[in-house]
Amino acid sequence: MNASLNLRQLARYPLIPVIVLMAIGFELATGSFVGSQNLLGIATDSATLAIVAVPSALLVISGYLDLSVGSTYALGAVAAGWLASEHGGSLLTCVLLSLLAGLAVGAVNGFLCCVVGLSPFIVTLGTLTAVRGLAQQFAPLPLTSFGDSFAWLGGAKIAGLPSPVVIAIVVVLVAGAILALTPVGRHIYAIGVSREAAYLSGVRVRTVPFTLFLATGASAALAGAIKASVLGAVQSGTAGSGFELAVLTAVLVGGVALTGGSGTLFGVVLGVAFLGILQNGLTLVGVPTFWQQVAQGLALVVAAGLAFLAPRLEALAAVRPTAPRRAAADPEPATT
């Protein structure tokens, strides 16, 4: 790999040097930031964000948006927690009920946005409020005492890794394979670039984003169930509050264009890592929670700057160095 290629990769993924500098800074401030236990803790805390950010990124690449993932997260957590605590449901039935709740929300969003043609911003903003109210109506009081079976979802170890991390890795790999190795991946980009052109090319411009809405809803509900399992409790009014902002920040910071048509899952994973490192590092150095929220908001603003600068830096890095001037290469004339 030559130097120009490295510069092009750094220009394409400007978060890489930012993450490295953040890690160095937090390590110098705390002395324990890069320890294996802390890094594993960051991965575990960031797993639920990655599980939702990946399908959300595909949805944004296709030109759509889902702002209801925070409330869907709460509904999925409440559905699974209610079945586990009130009726002693097994792990499988709890997860299935959570996924069904998420699929239902995704189906409503997908139908209104992809079939009816309403604005995704307005529709999902409306379901953000409606689904939160539904979750609170379903379980107005906190749910606890889920039992050992449900606790496995968030507390088990698989091949030495926490189960949420393993689930997040599977989600990333499956989505990456779909995006890179199947025609659906090309169709997602094509719809995001131009829906009309994609339609004329035979792409199913309604089915593909509708399926992505289903995947986003299901992943948000699953993430809520995982977090409820980790915490051993869930409260419908606060579960997943602000989660949609974290997901959107990870997607945009990761380089996915809000207008659709461009972005990579590797960039989204970097965006998730960036937020996880930022939150963990600020917590270790004792920054209050409200300043962490300020930092997360500023990160979203920085994402806009990176989205503006990254294509220009990549184009600049792609410029090959000019050939040496002939006069400089020619030998000096012989002196008489």
Side-chain angles (χ1 to χ4, degrees), residues 50-121:
I51 291 171
V52 185
V54 167
S56 295
L58 300 186
L59 189 62
V60 174
I61 292 174
S62 71
Y64 289 84
L65 181 68
D66 189 350
L67 295 175
S68 67
V69 291
S71 296
T72 308
Y73 175 107
L75 184 63
V78 164
W82 169 79
L83 188 59
S85 64
E86 301 293 333
H87 300 280
S90 66
L91 173 62
L92 179 61
T93 57
C94 291
V95 171
L96 286 177
L97 182 62
S98 177
L99 291 175
L100 286 175
L103 288 171
V105 177
V108 171
N109 288 334
F111 176 78
L112 293 176
C113 297
C114 304
V115 179
V116 180
L118 301 181
S119 166
F121 180 85

Side-chain angles (χ1 to χ4, degrees), residues 9-241:
Q9 293 297 328
L10 288 178
R12 189 177 185 186
Y13 300 109
L15 275 183
I16 293 178
V18 173
I19 289 175
V20 171
L21 291 175
M22 285 173 56
I24 294 173
F26 287 134
E27 174 63 21
L28 292 176
T30 64
S32 59
F33 181 79
V34 296
S36 59
Q37 290 300 319
N38 189 54
L39 294 181
L40 189 60
I42 294 175
T44 305
D45 292 339
S46 304
T48 51
L49 178 60
I51 291 171
V52 185
V54 167
S56 295
L58 300 186
L59 189 62
V60 174
I61 292 174
S62 71
Y64 289 84
L65 181 68
D66 189 350
L67 295 175
S68 67
V69 291
S71 296
T72 308
Y73 175 107
L75 184 63
V78 164
W82 169 79
L83 188 59
S85 64
E86 301 293 333
H87 300 280
S90 66
L91 173 62
L92 179 61
T93 57
C94 291
V95 171
L96 286 177
L97 182 62
S98 177
L99 291 175
L100 286 175
L103 288 171
V105 177
V108 171
N109 288 334
F111 176 78
L112 293 176
C113 297
C114 304
V115 179
V116 180
L118 301 181
S119 166
F121 180 85
I122 297 174
V123 168
T124 58
L125 192 61
T127 51
L128 170 71
T129 305
V131 173
R132 174 69 66 180
L134 185 63
Q136 290 179 303
Q137 178 66 27
F138 188 69
L141 299 177
L143 297 170
T144 57
S145 304
F146 297 145
D148 295 336
S149 175
F150 187 65
W152 186 92
L153 181 62
K157 290 289 185 64
I158 302 174
L161 294 175
S163 52
V165 176
V166 175
I167 296 173
I169 292 173
V170 171
V171 170
V172 171
L173 292 178
V174 171
I178 293 174
L179 200 61
L181 304 177
T182 70
V184 175
R186 296 191 293 274
H187 294 171
I188 291 173
Y189 282 103
I191 295 171
V193 172
S194 173
R195 201 169 304 164
E196 291 75 14
Y199 174 77
L200 295 175
S201 301
V203 175
R204 295 172 295 178
V205 296
R206 292 179 178 175
T207 304
V208 172
F210 181 85
T211 305
L212 293 176
F213 269 112
L214 293 179
T216 302
S219 68
L222 177 62
I226 292 173
K227 186 59 76 174
S229 174
V230 171
L231 299 176
V234 60
Q235 188 167 359
S236 59
T238 58
S241 178

Side-chain angles (χ1 to χ4, degrees), residues 269-282:
V269 172
L270 288 177
V272 172
F274 169 77
L275 291 182
I277 290 172
L278 179 65
Q279 183 176 8
N280 180 270
L282 293 178

